[in-house]
Amino acid sequence: MNEKIFRTDTKALVGSVIIGIVMLIMMQVTGRIDAILDPTLLLLNGTCWAFFTGLIVLMYRQPAGIIAGVVEAVVAMATGYSPLGFFFLFANVIGSIVYSLISSRFSMEKLSHHIIAMLGTAVTGNLCVMVGLIYVFHLDWKIALLSSSITAFVGTIVAGILTKSIYGSLQKSALLQ
């Protein structure tokens, strides 16, 4: 099971930083779009986060998922692109670990495997964001729960489908060898 969760070769560690930078660029863009549309409903940002979290874990395992998540969260805090940046640190790390634990139990060849792993990731990550919505935006816990639930639902479905598609294409192209 350790070989399904951990990978510490140079390619994985460097790859996680590079993909983490791509993730952070996408998160910056989608975060700003979400801020314009509705800062409490992080649909684009949450879906982008879930997709990259899953893809990085599938491509490079751990600690790569954690490294990429920490890079994204630290830059989010440093640039101030979201007042929830501090809570993204916990969402990224916990979400990445949860995805690793769930995906290690499956072959990840079926869409249902990706949806199940993404569900665990989206729920745990959005619980962290929910705490941020309560403390930063002073939302009532019921509103924060609704916002996080909607984001988790959309992120699970859309990111699960995207992750299956992109990861499948990467496997066929032999880029993961």
Side-chain angles (χ1 to χ4, degrees):
M1 184 168 112
N2 272 347
E3 58 274 352
K4 289 189 88 175
I5 295 178
F6 296 102
R7 185 175 160 199
T8 56
D9 58 285
T10 304
K11 181 180 178 182
L13 298 176
V14 172
S16 71
V17 173
I18 292 169
I19 299 295
I21 292 169
V22 173
M23 175 186 181
L24 106 85
I25 292 167
M26 292 302 298
M27 296 294 290
Q28 292 274 330
V29 171
T30 58
R32 284 177 170 79
I33 293 169
D34 277 340
I36 293 168
L37 299 176
D38 182 353
T40 64
L41 196 59
L42 304 167
L43 290 179
L44 294 175
N45 200 256
T47 300
C48 183
W49 165 77
F51 165 70
F52 274 104
T53 298
L55 188 64
I56 290 166
V57 168
L58 290 173
M59 289 174 64
Y60 299 120
R61 311 281 177 231
Q62 294 299 351
I66 293 170
I67 292 169
V70 168
V71 166
E72 189 279 327
V74 167
V75 171
M77 288 185 280
T79 61
Y81 93 89
S82 172
L84 299 173
F86 175 73
F87 298 92
F88 293 164
L89 182 64
F90 297 99
N92 292 356
V93 171
I94 295 168
S96 177
I97 292 169
V98 167
Y99 197 94
S100 291
L101 293 174
I102 295 172
S103 66
S104 70
R105 305 276 188 233
F106 295 104
S107 66
M108 301 308 283
E109 293 174 0
K110 298 180 180 177
L111 179 59
S112 61
H113 298 166
H114 289 271
I115 297 293
I116 291 167
M118 201 57 73
L119 177 63
T121 299
V123 168
T124 55
N126 279 288
L127 282 175
C128 296
V129 172
M130 183 182 119
V131 171
L133 291 172
I134 292 168
Y135 287 103
V136 173
F137 289 118
H138 304 290
L139 292 180
D140 182 63
W141 72 269
K142 292 175 224 152
I143 303 295
L145 178 62
L146 176 65
S147 174
S148 295
S149 297
I150 292 169
T151 303
F153 176 75
V154 171
T156 296
I157 302 302
V158 176
I161 292 168
L162 282 173
T163 304
K164 162 99 173 77
S165 174
I166 302 295
Y167 183 65
S169 296
L170 288 171
Q171 285 180 309
K172 288 177 189 171
S173 70
L175 286 174
L176 299 179
Q177 308 315 344

